[in-house]
Amino acid sequence: MKRLPPLPALHTFVVTAQCCNFTRAAQQLHITQGAVSRQIAGLESHLGYPLFVRQARGLSLTPQGRELFPKMQQVFALITEAVDDLEQASEAIQLKAPTCVMRWLWPRLMRWQAERPDVPVELTTTVQHGVDFRREDFGAAIIYGPPPGTGMVARHLFDEQLTPVCAPQLLKGPTPLKCVADLEHHMLLHPTREDTDWETWLKAAGGTLGNVSKGQHFETLDLAMSVATHGTGVAIGDWALIAEDLANGQLAMPFDLKVRTGLGYYLVYPQRAKASAGLVELFDWLLVQAGGR
């Protein structure tokens, strides 16, 4: 089998062919002009034919050089792509997520890291619901709100569905929850500083309550749910985020009604960037998790 020419010499040939000038090629390769000339001469000797025609005003490719040049360009482009892919695979995915989704996201990320330690994720939580990839140095994010606009690739995770939840013992306590009006006799717990979630659900349920604004307000969904599990009130929460608490009996739904708000959760990454293989696998895995909640 014929011995292949040395890779450095082939790389020098590609750079020189792009500019057809030994001096400029030497500058790009950070070597001397004499080193470029010697590598090209050695490559021509190895191949058995000339690659350049030396002229007073520069260089031009020979027919053999013109045929070899695009093929070597493809080879080095593939090498560059392979190295970039490996570097991306070894780097941790920088993921931003709002605190409101952490009840759902955190245990799943722990499972992901146990199953795929080769694709690490560095999570940053925030009270913000969106992301600005032009100003924020994240590779991907989970956002909450309406469907995202241009500038990012988005995959729908799940929709927000509001429903009241409480500790199971509250359902059969001194003031059981049999109809919407029974909520008047319980402390209402809000996952935000606003009354919007309760008001949205009550409007869909066709009821009104006089104690909505008198309830307790919390900074996060997690805090409101934790208080609800102790039986001290009825919280309004996103069914998609608290399904595991319902399944294991920590929380119960006193009513069947779940109200879609038109908002949802989306996995996104910047449109200008190429998603790494690891990020694509993580997104696909999280989507399966969302479908099985």
Side-chain angles (χ1 to χ4, degrees):
M1 187 173 68
K2 186 175 180 180
R3 184 171 59 88
L4 293 174
L7 194 63
L10 288 171
H11 184 231
T12 298
F13 163 69
V14 170
V15 173
T16 305
Q18 287 171 337
C19 56
C20 281
N21 186 286
F22 281 157
T23 301
R24 286 199 291 272
Q27 291 171 344
Q28 291 183 36
L29 292 166
H30 303 289
I31 59 177
T32 65
Q33 180 180 336
V36 172
S37 181
R38 287 192 296 274
Q39 286 194 35
I40 295 300
L43 181 60
E44 289 174 327
S45 175
H46 180 97
L47 295 173
Y49 48 79
L51 298 170
F52 294 98
V53 177
R54 279 74 168 170
Q55 300 168 329
R57 295 185 178 180
L59 305 171
S60 63
L61 287 165
T62 64
Q64 295 95 330
R66 287 195 297 271
E67 183 177 351
L68 183 64
F69 177 46
K71 295 177 181 178
M72 288 300 100
Q73 274 188 312
Q74 289 180 333
V75 168
F76 281 98
L78 287 171
I79 292 173
T80 301
E81 183 179 351
V83 171
D84 287 345
D85 287 346
L86 285 172
E87 287 179 351
Q88 288 182 354
S90 63
E91 292 178 358
I93 296 170
Q94 301 295 325
L95 179 67
K96 178 184 179 182
T99 54
C100 55
V101 79
M102 290 306 297
R103 200 174 188 86
W104 181 88
L105 178 63
W106 184 249
R108 287 165 176 81
L109 275 187
M110 291 300 96
R111 289 205 294 271
W112 167 263
Q113 293 294 214
E115 295 175 16
R116 294 298 306 275
D118 59 312
V119 187
V121 179
E122 291 184 3
L123 177 66
T124 299
T125 60
T126 173
V127 294
Q128 299 172 345
H129 291 158
V131 65
D132 186 347
F133 289 118
R134 296 169 300 177
R135 297 179 176 85
E136 299 179 82
D137 191 21
F138 295 105
I142 294 177
I143 62 173
Y144 162 72
T150 58
M152 59 181 71
V153 177
R155 301 182 71 179
H156 177 250
L157 197 56
F158 46 73
D159 292 323
E160 181 179 51
Q161 299 180 67
L162 297 177
T163 190
V165 291
C166 64
Q169 63 265 29
L170 229 60
L171 298 178
K172 299 178 181 180
T175 51
L177 290 163
K178 296 181 179 179
C179 64
V180 174
D182 292 333
L183 289 167
E184 194 83 52
H185 307 294
H186 293 269
M187 173 72 72
L188 300 187
L189 308 176
H190 303 263
T192 69
R193 290 183 174 273
E194 300 176 349
D195 302 335
T196 310
D197 289 350
W198 267 113
E199 290 170 350
T200 298
W201 186 86
L202 287 167
K203 182 178 179 181
T208 58
L209 296 174
N211 62 336
V212 174
S213 60
K214 299 175 185 177
Q216 291 293 327
H217 294 75
F218 298 89
E219 294 290 341
T220 66
L221 172 76
D222 209 45
L223 283 172
M225 295 304 118
S226 295
V227 172
T229 59
H230 290 93
T232 53
V234 183
I236 188 80
D238 185 346
W239 175 81
L241 301 180
I242 57 177
E244 287 189 8
D245 298 293
L246 295 168
N248 62 30
Q250 283 191 301
L251 292 171
M253 285 175 53
F255 311 105
D256 292 332
L257 178 63
K258 298 190 290 287
V259 177
R260 294 181 182 270
T261 63
L263 306 179
Y265 293 86
Y266 298 85
L267 300 163
V268 297
Y269 66 88
Q271 200 165 38
R272 67 178 183 273
K274 178 186 175 182
S276 66
L279 179 59
V280 172
E281 288 182 45
L282 173 63
F283 273 25
D284 288 343
W285 188 84
L286 286 173
L287 287 167
V288 170
Q289 296 295 305
R293 65 182 186 277

